[in-house]
């Protein structure tokens, strides 16, 4: 394999990984735009998606096509419980208090998962086999196609929901001005709940579709969550195209850096990119107005 084929291989792998970061980043952005909260428990919903799918598949002996929606539903229920029990009771809380609450929830969920499923790593079976597909001299697995397809469907569904449904428009109104939204009759608390429902579902789906490639364990949500947060920051905290582009850029640069420099720097590269961006363009790749339009 020559250098051009190697670079193509790294780009394809990076785009697949970046799509996962984009899904996680969308969860961060949706909650932030609706509530102003940075939900550092988002990575744990990624972990729950993978671990619950494995639990339903191996312990309850359910087929994969039934385990996946059940895992998403259970993770979403956990997101609802988190909002109702930890976020909603807090009135006039400072942003720092809310951040600490989400970090505490992350530690709690991770510890509970360790007690329930132990510290072993697990893998889900691929959705449609493991025979590699050749693309211009590079190869990708069928699971990568699933990742691209599901990410594309999520982006389309996200666009349709926020621009063509009453609830989506209400959530956008809350993101723009919560007080004005409440004055025109929008139930802000319900919109906040919807944001946690959507973000936990997105996170769990990301954890499910990547588990056949990277395996899952009780602690996988930490790094995936941080990289999803980086994607959201790079994209200007947009709940649309901005964060998707941020995730794809991050995944691609991370893969190229790991392949061409050293795999030992893979995790560091993501945070170096974030720091450089914060120094050069703190608002992300998109300005505030651009972020709201996309």
């Amino acid at each position: 394999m020559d250098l051009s084929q190697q670079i193509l291989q790294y780009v394809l792998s990076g785009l697949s990984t970046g799509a996962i970061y984009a899904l996680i980043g969308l969860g961060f952005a949706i909650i932030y735009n609706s509530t102003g909260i940075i939900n550092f428990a988002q990575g744990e919903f990624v972990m729950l998606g993978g671990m619950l799918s494995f639990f339903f598949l191996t312990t309850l002996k359910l087929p994969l096509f039934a385990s996946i929606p059940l895992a998403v539903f259970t993770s979403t229920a956990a997101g609802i419980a988190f909002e109702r029990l930890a976020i909603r009771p807090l009135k006039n809380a400072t942003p720092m208090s809310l951040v600490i609450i989400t970090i505490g929830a992350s530690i709690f969920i991770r510890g509970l998962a360790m007690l329930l499923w132990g510290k072993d790593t697990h893998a889900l079976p691929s959705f449609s086999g493991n025979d590699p597909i050749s693309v211009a001299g590079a190869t990708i697995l069928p699971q990568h196609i699933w990742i691209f397809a599901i990410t594309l469907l999520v982006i389309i569904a996200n666009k349709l929901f926020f621009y063509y449904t009453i609830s989506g428009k209400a959530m956008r109104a809350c993101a723009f001005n919560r007080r004005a939204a409440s004055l025109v009759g929008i139930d802000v608390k319900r919109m906040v709940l919807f944001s946690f429902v959507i973000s936990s579902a997105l996170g769990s789906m990301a954890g499910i579709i990547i588990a056949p490639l990277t395996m899952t364990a009780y602690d996988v949500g930490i790094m995936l969550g941080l990289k999803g947060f980086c994607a959201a920051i790079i994209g200007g905290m947009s709940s649309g195209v901005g964060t998707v582009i941020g995730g794809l850029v991050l995944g691609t640069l991370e893969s190229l850096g790991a392949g061409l420099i050293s795999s030992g720097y893979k995790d560091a590269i993501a945070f170096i990119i974030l720091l450089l961006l914060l120094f050069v363009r703190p608002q992300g790749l998109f300005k505030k107005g651009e972020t709201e339009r996309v």
Side-chain angles (χ1 to χ4, degrees):
M1 183 180 290
D2 59 28
L3 181 60
S4 62
Q5 291 176 328
Q6 287 182 353
I7 291 176
L8 178 60
Q9 183 70 63
Y10 298 145
V11 169
L12 290 175
S13 299
L15 289 174
S16 175
T17 304
I20 298 296
Y21 297 161
L23 288 179
I24 301 170
L26 284 174
F28 274 102
I30 288 170
I31 289 182
Y32 176 78
N33 288 330
S34 298
T35 66
I37 299 172
I38 301 293
N39 179 24
F40 284 109
Q42 182 67 17
E44 307 317 317
F45 294 109
V46 180
M47 175 272 295
L48 284 176
M51 293 300 291
L52 285 169
S53 296
F54 178 80
F55 170 75
F56 291 133
L57 185 68
T58 59
T59 304
L60 299 186
K61 305 299 181 182
L62 297 176
L64 184 63
F65 69 85
S67 300
I68 290 174
L70 273 176
V72 173
F73 176 80
T74 308
S75 300
T76 303
I80 293 172
F82 173 47
E83 191 275 335
R84 286 297 182 96
L85 299 177
I87 302 299
R88 184 168 295 194
L90 298 176
K91 296 181 179 179
N92 301 319
T94 64
M96 182 59 68
S97 299
L98 293 171
V99 167
I100 292 172
I101 288 292
T102 65
I103 293 173
S106 172
I107 295 170
F108 172 77
I109 295 171
R110 187 162 60 250
L112 185 62
M114 184 183 68
L115 292 175
L116 290 174
W117 297 305
K119 297 183 178 180
D120 295 333
T121 57
H122 310 281
L124 291 178
S126 298
F127 294 178
S128 55
N130 293 302
D131 295 331
I133 301 169
S134 179
V135 179
T139 58
I140 59 173
L141 295 173
Q143 191 65 30
H144 290 106
I145 304 298
W146 280 100
I147 291 173
F148 293 136
I150 290 173
T151 302
L152 180 60
L153 287 175
V154 167
I155 294 169
I156 294 172
N158 184 67
K159 188 78 171 180
L160 293 175
F161 174 76
F162 281 106
Y163 282 84
Y164 298 100
T165 68
I166 298 298
S167 296
K169 292 177 181 178
M171 289 181 68
R172 289 175 59 211
C174 290
F176 187 75
N177 191 318
R178 295 182 67 186
R179 177 168 294 183
S182 66
L183 290 175
V184 297
I186 295 174
D187 189 341
V188 175
K189 290 183 178 180
R190 181 179 295 180
M191 296 305 108
V192 171
L193 179 62
F194 280 173
S195 71
F196 276 88
V197 168
I198 296 171
S199 66
S200 56
L202 288 177
S204 63
M205 181 54 67
I208 291 168
I209 60 179
I210 200 173
L213 296 176
T214 62
M215 297 194 292
T216 186
Y218 81 99
D219 59 349
V220 298
I222 303 173
M223 193 56 67
L224 286 173
L226 288 174
K227 291 181 180 179
F229 176 62
C230 290
I233 293 295
I234 292 171
M237 272 298 180
S238 160
S239 55
V241 178
T243 294
V244 174
I245 294 174
L248 295 176
V249 169
L250 178 63
T252 302
L253 293 178
E254 181 183 277
S255 180
L256 287 171
L260 299 177
I261 302 174
S262 171
S263 60
Y265 297 113
K266 181 180 179 181
D267 292 333
I269 288 170
F271 302 111
I272 291 172
I273 294 169
L274 177 63
L275 288 174
L276 290 175
L277 182 71
L278 289 175
F279 278 120
V280 176
R281 192 176 170 89
Q283 70 270 36
L285 293 178
F286 295 91
K287 295 180 181 179
K288 180 66 175 177
E290 295 170 344
T291 299
E292 289 172 354
R293 284 197 298 272
V294 297

Tab-separated table of all heavy atoms in Angstrom, residues 207-257:
chain	number	residue	atom	x	y	z
A	207	GLY	N	-22.923	4.816	21.055
A	207	GLY	CA	-22.247	3.730	21.761
A	207	GLY	C	-22.533	2.374	21.160
A	207	GLY	O	-21.675	1.479	21.162
A	208	ILE	N	-23.735	2.204	20.617
A	208	ILE	CA	-24.114	0.914	20.026
A	208	ILE	C	-23.402	0.677	18.704
A	208	ILE	O	-22.849	-0.408	18.465
A	208	ILE	CB	-25.644	0.852	19.830
A	208	ILE	CG1	-26.344	0.787	21.184
A	208	ILE	CG2	-26.032	-0.363	18.987
A	208	ILE	CD1	-27.842	1.014	21.124
A	209	ILE	N	-23.383	1.675	17.833
A	209	ILE	CA	-22.850	1.433	16.492
A	209	ILE	C	-21.325	1.366	16.472
A	209	ILE	O	-20.749	0.809	15.535
A	209	ILE	CB	-23.346	2.501	15.487
A	209	ILE	CG1	-22.913	3.902	15.897
A	209	ILE	CG2	-24.845	2.424	15.335
A	209	ILE	CD1	-23.355	4.991	14.912
A	210	ILE	N	-20.667	1.888	17.517
A	210	ILE	CA	-19.202	1.790	17.545
A	210	ILE	C	-18.713	0.572	18.325
A	210	ILE	O	-17.566	0.148	18.173
A	210	ILE	CB	-18.574	3.084	18.130
A	210	ILE	CG1	-17.103	3.187	17.714
A	210	ILE	CG2	-18.727	3.130	19.645
A	210	ILE	CD1	-16.437	4.471	18.091
A	211	ALA	N	-19.586	-0.031	19.140
A	211	ALA	CA	-19.174	-1.166	19.969
A	211	ALA	C	-18.642	-2.355	19.160
A	211	ALA	O	-17.690	-3.010	19.610
A	211	ALA	CB	-20.339	-1.608	20.867
A	212	PRO	N	-19.192	-2.681	17.980
A	212	PRO	CA	-18.594	-3.799	17.214
A	212	PRO	C	-17.169	-3.535	16.755
A	212	PRO	O	-16.432	-4.481	16.443
A	212	PRO	CB	-19.549	-3.929	16.007
A	212	PRO	CG	-20.839	-3.365	16.471
A	212	PRO	CD	-20.453	-2.230	17.377
A	213	LEU	N	-16.752	-2.279	16.700
A	213	LEU	CA	-15.407	-1.947	16.234
A	213	LEU	C	-14.418	-1.771	17.371
A	213	LEU	O	-13.273	-2.230	17.287
A	213	LEU	CB	-15.450	-0.656	15.392
A	213	LEU	CG	-16.255	-0.711	14.093
A	213	LEU	CD1	-16.278	0.662	13.436
A	213	LEU	CD2	-15.688	-1.752	13.145
A	214	THR	N	-14.819	-1.090	18.432
A	214	THR	CA	-13.874	-0.737	19.496
A	214	THR	C	-14.171	-1.425	20.825
A	214	THR	O	-13.436	-1.224	21.784
A	214	THR	CB	-13.878	0.781	19.734
A	214	THR	OG1	-15.184	1.182	20.166
A	214	THR	CG2	-13.536	1.523	18.452
A	215	MET	N	-15.233	-2.210	20.869
A	215	MET	CA	-15.691	-2.876	22.094
A	215	MET	C	-16.216	-1.846	23.098
A	215	MET	O	-16.063	-0.628	22.916
A	215	MET	CB	-14.597	-3.750	22.712
A	215	MET	CG	-14.167	-4.891	21.798
A	215	MET	SD	-13.194	-6.155	22.631
A	215	MET	CE	-11.693	-5.242	22.970
A	216	THR	N	-16.825	-2.337	24.145
A	216	THR	CA	-17.420	-1.451	25.138
A	216	THR	C	-17.099	-1.956	26.534
A	216	THR	O	-16.850	-3.141	26.740
A	216	THR	CB	-18.952	-1.357	24.936
A	216	THR	OG1	-19.497	-0.383	25.819
A	216	THR	CG2	-19.634	-2.704	25.186
A	217	ALA	N	-17.103	-1.052	27.478
A	217	ALA	CA	-16.836	-1.377	28.874
A	217	ALA	C	-17.426	-0.261	29.726
A	217	ALA	O	-17.916	0.756	29.208
A	217	ALA	CB	-15.335	-1.524	29.134
A	218	TYR	N	-17.354	-0.431	31.035
A	218	TYR	CA	-17.979	0.542	31.933
A	218	TYR	C	-17.360	1.928	31.846
A	218	TYR	O	-18.004	2.931	32.186
A	218	TYR	CB	-17.909	0.031	33.375
A	218	TYR	CG	-16.569	0.273	34.038
A	218	TYR	CD1	-16.381	1.358	34.895
A	218	TYR	CD2	-15.486	-0.572	33.793
A	218	TYR	CE1	-15.153	1.589	35.502
A	218	TYR	CE2	-14.266	-0.355	34.381
A	218	TYR	CZ	-14.099	0.727	35.238
A	218	TYR	OH	-12.881	0.958	35.821
A	219	ASP	N	-16.112	2.026	31.370
A	219	ASP	CA	-15.406	3.311	31.389
A	219	ASP	C	-15.151	3.903	30.004
A	219	ASP	O	-14.400	4.873	29.875
A	219	ASP	CB	-14.069	3.163	32.122
A	219	ASP	CG	-13.147	2.134	31.489
A	219	ASP	OD1	-13.612	1.379	30.615
A	219	ASP	OD2	-11.960	2.073	31.882
A	220	VAL	N	-15.779	3.366	28.955
A	220	VAL	CA	-15.498	3.889	27.608
A	220	VAL	C	-16.089	5.278	27.392
A	220	VAL	O	-15.670	6.012	26.496
A	220	VAL	CB	-16.033	2.936	26.506
A	220	VAL	CG1	-15.364	1.591	26.579
A	220	VAL	CG2	-17.548	2.803	26.588
A	221	GLY	N	-17.062	5.648	28.204
A	221	GLY	CA	-17.730	6.922	28.003
A	221	GLY	C	-16.880	8.132	28.331
A	221	GLY	O	-17.179	9.239	27.848
A	222	ILE	N	-15.845	7.964	29.131
A	222	ILE	CA	-15.044	9.121	29.556
A	222	ILE	C	-14.387	9.788	28.360
A	222	ILE	O	-14.606	10.976	28.068
A	222	ILE	CB	-13.965	8.698	30.571
A	222	ILE	CG1	-14.598	8.017	31.791
A	222	ILE	CG2	-13.148	9.907	31.017
A	222	ILE	CD1	-13.586	7.433	32.748
A	223	MET	N	-13.571	9.028	27.614
A	223	MET	CA	-12.833	9.616	26.501
A	223	MET	C	-13.754	9.957	25.333
A	223	MET	O	-13.600	11.012	24.694
A	223	MET	CB	-11.729	8.658	26.037
A	223	MET	CG	-10.722	9.298	25.096
A	223	MET	SD	-9.923	10.776	25.780
A	223	MET	CE	-8.968	10.041	27.117
A	224	LEU	N	-14.728	9.095	25.048
A	224	LEU	CA	-15.652	9.389	23.954
A	224	LEU	C	-16.460	10.656	24.253
A	224	LEU	O	-16.711	11.474	23.360
A	224	LEU	CB	-16.589	8.206	23.721
A	224	LEU	CG	-15.978	6.982	23.031
A	224	LEU	CD1	-16.970	5.824	23.022
A	224	LEU	CD2	-15.550	7.321	21.605
A	225	GLY	N	-16.859	10.803	25.505
A	225	GLY	CA	-17.599	11.993	25.887
A	225	GLY	C	-16.773	13.256	25.734
A	225	GLY	O	-17.254	14.274	25.226
A	226	LEU	N	-15.512	13.209	26.143
A	226	LEU	CA	-14.640	14.382	26.023
A	226	LEU	C	-14.398	14.743	24.559
A	226	LEU	O	-14.370	15.920	24.193
A	226	LEU	CB	-13.311	14.122	26.738
A	226	LEU	CG	-13.359	14.096	28.272
A	226	LEU	CD1	-12.009	13.685	28.841
A	226	LEU	CD2	-13.772	15.459	28.820
A	227	LYS	N	-14.234	13.730	23.713
A	227	LYS	CA	-14.006	14.023	22.299
A	227	LYS	C	-15.284	14.532	21.630
A	227	LYS	O	-15.220	15.365	20.727
A	227	LYS	CB	-13.467	12.775	21.598
A	227	LYS	CG	-12.050	12.428	22.043
A	227	LYS	CD	-11.505	11.212	21.341
A	227	LYS	CE	-10.089	10.901	21.810
A	227	LYS	NZ	-9.525	9.702	21.148
A	228	GLY	N	-16.436	14.011	22.066
A	228	GLY	CA	-17.687	14.562	21.572
A	228	GLY	C	-17.850	16.012	21.980
A	228	GLY	O	-18.337	16.845	21.197
A	229	PHE	N	-17.415	16.338	23.190
A	229	PHE	CA	-17.449	17.726	23.658
A	229	PHE	C	-16.522	18.594	22.812
A	229	PHE	O	-16.861	19.722	22.441
A	229	PHE	CB	-17.041	17.771	25.126
A	229	PHE	CG	-16.954	19.153	25.708
A	229	PHE	CD1	-18.074	19.964	25.777
A	229	PHE	CD2	-15.753	19.640	26.196
A	229	PHE	CE1	-17.999	21.243	26.309
A	229	PHE	CE2	-15.665	20.911	26.731
A	229	PHE	CZ	-16.799	21.713	26.794
A	230	CYS	N	-15.343	18.057	22.466
A	230	CYS	CA	-14.422	18.791	21.581
A	230	CYS	C	-15.080	19.062	20.233
A	230	CYS	O	-14.960	20.161	19.681
A	230	CYS	CB	-13.142	17.988	21.376
A	230	CYS	SG	-12.072	17.873	22.825
A	231	ALA	N	-15.791	18.059	19.699
A	231	ALA	CA	-16.473	18.240	18.412
A	231	ALA	C	-17.513	19.347	18.500
A	231	ALA	O	-17.645	20.164	17.585
A	231	ALA	CB	-17.125	16.929	17.979
A	232	ALA	N	-18.254	19.378	19.612
A	232	ALA	CA	-19.271	20.412	19.789
A	232	ALA	C	-18.634	21.793	19.894
A	232	ALA	O	-19.143	22.767	19.326
A	232	ALA	CB	-20.101	20.113	21.040
A	233	ILE	N	-17.515	21.903	20.597
A	233	ILE	CA	-16.818	23.186	20.719
A	233	ILE	C	-16.284	23.630	19.361
A	233	ILE	O	-16.416	24.798	18.965
A	233	ILE	CB	-15.668	23.075	21.743
A	233	ILE	CG1	-16.214	22.857	23.159
A	233	ILE	CG2	-14.811	24.335	21.703
A	233	ILE	CD1	-17.007	24.016	23.704
A	234	ILE	N	-15.669	22.700	18.623
A	234	ILE	CA	-15.138	23.036	17.298
A	234	ILE	C	-16.258	23.527	16.390
A	234	ILE	O	-16.079	24.458	15.593
A	234	ILE	CB	-14.428	21.813	16.689
A	234	ILE	CG1	-13.147	21.497	17.476
A	234	ILE	CG2	-14.084	22.057	15.219
A	234	ILE	CD1	-12.491	20.196	17.082
A	235	GLY	N	-17.437	22.929	16.505
A	235	GLY	CA	-18.564	23.311	15.679
A	235	GLY	C	-19.345	24.492	16.192
A	235	GLY	O	-20.438	24.776	15.680
A	236	GLY	N	-18.849	25.171	17.207
A	236	GLY	CA	-19.524	26.348	17.731
A	236	GLY	C	-20.751	26.035	18.561
A	236	GLY	O	-21.669	26.842	18.647
A	237	MET	N	-20.799	24.846	19.171
A	237	MET	CA	-21.942	24.411	19.971
A	237	MET	C	-23.244	24.466	19.161
A	237	MET	O	-24.296	24.826	19.660
A	237	MET	CB	-22.074	25.243	21.262
A	237	MET	CG	-21.285	24.703	22.421
A	237	MET	SD	-21.844	23.044	22.876
A	237	MET	CE	-20.744	22.691	24.258
A	238	SER	N	-23.140	24.104	17.896
A	238	SER	CA	-24.312	24.066	17.026
A	238	SER	C	-24.982	22.712	17.152
A	238	SER	O	-24.315	21.677	17.186
A	238	SER	CB	-23.893	24.295	15.573
A	238	SER	OG	-24.877	23.834	14.690
A	239	SER	N	-26.328	22.718	17.201
A	239	SER	CA	-27.061	21.453	17.210
A	239	SER	C	-27.393	21.016	15.786
A	239	SER	O	-28.326	20.254	15.568
A	239	SER	CB	-28.349	21.596	18.023
A	239	SER	OG	-29.143	22.660	17.539
A	240	GLY	N	-26.609	21.507	14.830
A	240	GLY	CA	-26.827	21.168	13.435
A	240	GLY	C	-25.534	20.798	12.744
A	240	GLY	O	-24.705	20.058	13.279
A	241	VAL	N	-25.350	21.343	11.551
A	241	VAL	CA	-24.234	20.952	10.692
A	241	VAL	C	-22.881	21.299	11.312
A	241	VAL	O	-21.890	20.590	11.113
A	241	VAL	CB	-24.378	21.621	9.312
A	241	VAL	CG1	-23.198	21.273	8.415
A	241	VAL	CG2	-25.675	21.179	8.652
A	242	GLY	N	-22.813	22.383	12.082
A	242	GLY	CA	-21.540	22.812	12.652
A	242	GLY	C	-20.865	21.737	13.479
A	242	GLY	O	-19.675	21.449	13.308
A	243	THR	N	-21.625	21.114	14.378
A	243	THR	CA	-21.052	20.070	15.230
A	243	THR	C	-20.709	18.834	14.422
A	243	THR	O	-19.711	18.153	14.708
A	243	THR	CB	-22.037	19.723	16.357
A	243	THR	OG1	-22.175	20.855	17.216
A	243	THR	CG2	-21.542	18.545	17.173
A	244	VAL	N	-21.492	18.515	13.411
A	244	VAL	CA	-21.188	17.367	12.550
A	244	VAL	C	-19.854	17.588	11.848
A	244	VAL	O	-18.994	16.694	11.829
A	244	VAL	CB	-22.311	17.148	11.518
A	244	VAL	CG1	-21.925	16.047	10.538
A	244	VAL	CG2	-23.621	16.808	12.219
A	245	ILE	N	-19.660	18.782	11.289
A	245	ILE	CA	-18.390	19.092	10.641
A	245	ILE	C	-17.254	19.049	11.658
A	245	ILE	O	-16.170	18.526	11.373
A	245	ILE	CB	-18.460	20.478	9.962
A	245	ILE	CG1	-19.465	20.452	8.813
A	245	ILE	CG2	-17.085	20.904	9.448
A	245	ILE	CD1	-19.701	21.801	8.175
A	246	GLY	N	-17.510	19.574	12.865
A	246	GLY	CA	-16.492	19.528	13.909
A	246	GLY	C	-16.072	18.111	14.234
A	246	GLY	O	-14.880	17.812	14.394
A	247	GLY	N	-17.046	17.196	14.335
A	247	GLY	CA	-16.728	15.799	14.627
A	247	GLY	C	-15.937	15.145	13.513
A	247	GLY	O	-14.958	14.425	13.767
A	248	LEU	N	-16.330	15.394	12.271
A	248	LEU	CA	-15.633	14.792	11.139
A	248	LEU	C	-14.207	15.329	11.015
A	248	LEU	O	-13.264	14.564	10.739
A	248	LEU	CB	-16.404	15.061	9.840
A	248	LEU	CG	-17.794	14.412	9.748
A	248	LEU	CD1	-18.490	14.829	8.458
A	248	LEU	CD2	-17.708	12.897	9.842
A	249	VAL	N	-14.037	16.637	11.214
A	249	VAL	CA	-12.685	17.226	11.180
A	249	VAL	C	-11.815	16.647	12.285
A	249	VAL	O	-10.663	16.254	12.054
A	249	VAL	CB	-12.773	18.760	11.307
A	249	VAL	CG1	-11.395	19.362	11.555
A	249	VAL	CG2	-13.389	19.372	10.061
A	250	LEU	N	-12.376	16.554	13.481
A	250	LEU	CA	-11.618	16.026	14.613
A	250	LEU	C	-11.213	14.576	14.378
A	250	LEU	O	-10.051	14.198	14.585
A	250	LEU	CB	-12.461	16.142	15.883
A	250	LEU	CG	-11.825	15.594	17.170
A	250	LEU	CD1	-10.569	16.385	17.513
A	250	LEU	CD2	-12.820	15.668	18.325
A	251	GLY	N	-12.163	13.744	13.947
A	251	GLY	CA	-11.861	12.338	13.712
A	251	GLY	C	-10.820	12.140	12.623
A	251	GLY	O	-9.918	11.302	12.752
A	252	THR	N	-10.912	12.921	11.546
A	252	THR	CA	-9.976	12.786	10.436
A	252	THR	C	-8.567	13.206	10.841
A	252	THR	O	-7.588	12.491	10.568
A	252	THR	CB	-10.445	13.628	9.238
A	252	THR	OG1	-11.758	13.210	8.850
A	252	THR	CG2	-9.499	13.466	8.067
A	253	LEU	N	-8.444	14.355	11.487
A	253	LEU	CA	-7.122	14.815	11.920
A	253	LEU	C	-6.521	13.876	12.962
A	253	LEU	O	-5.308	13.621	12.952
A	253	LEU	CB	-7.226	16.235	12.482
A	253	LEU	CG	-7.581	17.331	11.478
A	253	LEU	CD1	-7.698	18.688	12.178
A	253	LEU	CD2	-6.553	17.396	10.367
A	254	GLU	N	-7.354	13.351	13.831
A	254	GLU	CA	-6.876	12.403	14.838
A	254	GLU	C	-6.338	11.142	14.174
A	254	GLU	O	-5.263	10.643	14.534
A	254	GLU	CB	-8.023	12.060	15.791
A	254	GLU	CG	-7.648	11.099	16.900
A	254	GLU	CD	-8.845	10.741	17.755
A	254	GLU	OE1	-9.179	11.511	18.659
A	254	GLU	OE2	-9.462	9.690	17.498
A	255	SER	N	-7.072	10.622	13.181
A	255	SER	CA	-6.634	9.412	12.495
A	255	SER	C	-5.356	9.645	11.693
A	255	SER	O	-4.438	8.813	11.702
A	255	SER	CB	-7.756	8.925	11.573
A	255	SER	OG	-7.375	7.756	10.880
A	256	LEU	N	-5.287	10.778	11.005
A	256	LEU	CA	-4.075	11.094	10.240
A	256	LEU	C	-2.875	11.258	11.166
A	256	LEU	O	-1.772	10.786	10.859
A	256	LEU	CB	-4.293	12.371	9.421
A	256	LEU	CG	-5.213	12.264	8.201
A	256	LEU	CD1	-5.493	13.642	7.628
A	256	LEU	CD2	-4.585	11.364	7.130
A	257	GLY	N	-3.078	11.940	12.286
A	257	GLY	CA	-1.980	12.119	13.225
A	257	GLY	C	-1.504	10.802	13.809
A	257	GLY	O	-0.294	10.551	13.932
